[in-house]
């Protein structure tokens, strides 16, 4: 049965167009153009992206994290706990998908690729640039694991604050660091009227990006 409160929700997309002539030959440089436009538009959380992974049993899972860099215009960088659910799934299957959605610009970007760990030096540099509270939090939280209570987590935070008193920045925990997704497929989606959206996809063939238009 249709829920009329949901079934009748719709929006006409008509802000912009997207053609093959509009885009750069490289997928990540083109993404940077769109990201810069999202930043300039002052959208809420323009670097937020859904990271999707798959378990050894084939069960997909997804969560929102923040993009923290575009290394060498050839990858997408983010940070997390290596022992988290996503970290364990990436250790077993180093493939992932990213999804960016910028409703204020009526745009979506979908990225698929292979995951590699970021260099330790890069992870340490970023970790030690974070606010001290975030550094403590990375030490305190056994991410994705069942915990006894909120109070137990806060108690552990206080213990670590005492343990690391006088240290600034903190050492980076071995279980925390960066991942770089090296894309082999990137799709740019621009909303259009009548659901006839523009979709331009980049697919990596050797060292060259091949561009195609997809039906909406």
């Amino acid at each position: 049965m249709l829920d009329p409160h949901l079934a009748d929700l719709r929006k006409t997309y008509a802000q912009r167009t997207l053609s093959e002539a509009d885009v750069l030959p490289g997928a990540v440089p083109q993404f940077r153009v769109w990201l810069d436009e999202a930043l300039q538009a002052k959208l809420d959380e323009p670097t937020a992206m859904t990271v999707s992974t798959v378990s050894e049993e084939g069960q997909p899972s997804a969560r929102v994290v923040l993009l923290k860099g575009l290394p060498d215009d050839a990858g997408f960088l983010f940070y997390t706990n290596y022992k988290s659910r996503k970290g364990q799934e990436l250790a077993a299957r180093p493939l992932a998908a990213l999804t960016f959605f910028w409703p204020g610009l009526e745009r979506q970007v979908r990225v698929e690729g292979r995951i590699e760990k970021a260099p330790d030096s890069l992870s340490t540099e970023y970790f030690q640039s974070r606010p001290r509270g975030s550094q403590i939090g990375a030490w305190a939280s056994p991410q994705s694991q069942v915990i006894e209570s909120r109070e137990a987590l806060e108690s552990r935070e206080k213990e670590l604050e005492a343990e690391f008193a006088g240290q600034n920045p903190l050492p980076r925990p071995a279980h925390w660091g960066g991942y770089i997704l090296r894309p082999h497929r990137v799709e740019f989606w621009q909303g259009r009227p009548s659901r006839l959206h523009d979709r331009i996809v980049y697919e990596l063939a050797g060292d060259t990006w091949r561009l195609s238009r997809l039906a909406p």
Side-chain angles (χ1 to χ4, degrees), residues 144-162:
S144 301
Q145 297 180 31
V146 175
I147 58 175
E148 179 183 348
S149 64
R150 174 77 191 187
E151 290 73 21
L153 183 64
E154 292 175 350
S155 176
R156 179 58 179 157
E157 180 187 30
K158 290 179 181 177
E159 290 173 2
L160 287 163
E161 286 175 345

Side-chain angles (χ1 to χ4, degrees), residues 42-192:
K42 301 187 183 305
L43 303 182
D44 288 339
E45 298 289 8
T47 62
M49 60 185 184
T50 300
V51 178
S52 301
T53 56
V54 180
S55 72
E56 292 186 90
E57 296 75 30
Q59 174 62 55
S61 63
R63 71 291 290 161
V64 177
V65 304
L66 299 180
L67 177 71
K68 290 299 179 181
L70 298 167
D72 305 319
D73 272 346
F76 295 76
L77 172 66
F78 63 96
Y79 294 91
T80 190
N81 186 314
Y82 291 143
K83 294 183 180 180
S84 65
R85 179 176 178 180
K86 74 176 96 46
Q88 293 179 37
E89 291 180 349
L90 290 173
R93 292 189 176 184
L95 299 169
L98 313 176
T99 308
F100 296 83
F101 181 47
W102 298 311
L105 296 176
E106 300 175 353
R107 286 175 170 173
Q108 177 181 213
V109 182
R110 299 167 60 191
V111 185
E112 299 171 18
R114 179 165 288 276
I115 288 284
E116 62 187 51
K117 280 188 175 180
D120 285 345
S121 58
L122 183 61
S123 292
T124 298
E125 179 183 7
Y126 175 69
F127 179 81
Q128 295 184 335
S129 75
R130 302 173 85 208
R132 182 179 176 81
S134 297
Q135 295 179 47
I136 292 284
W139 276 98
S141 174
Q143 192 174 98
S144 301
Q145 297 180 31
V146 175
I147 58 175
E148 179 183 348
S149 64
R150 174 77 191 187
E151 290 73 21
L153 183 64
E154 292 175 350
S155 176
R156 179 58 179 157
E157 180 187 30
K158 290 179 181 177
E159 290 173 2
L160 287 163
E161 286 175 345
E163 180 180 337
F164 289 121
Q167 293 189 52
N168 192 25
L170 274 58
R172 176 178 64 90
H175 62 257
W176 192 98
Y179 287 110
I180 299 173
L181 183 144
R182 301 294 185 185
H184 55 246
R185 190 177 194 276
V186 183
E187 180 189 323
F188 295 85
W189 179 99
Q190 178 69 61
R192 298 293 304 277

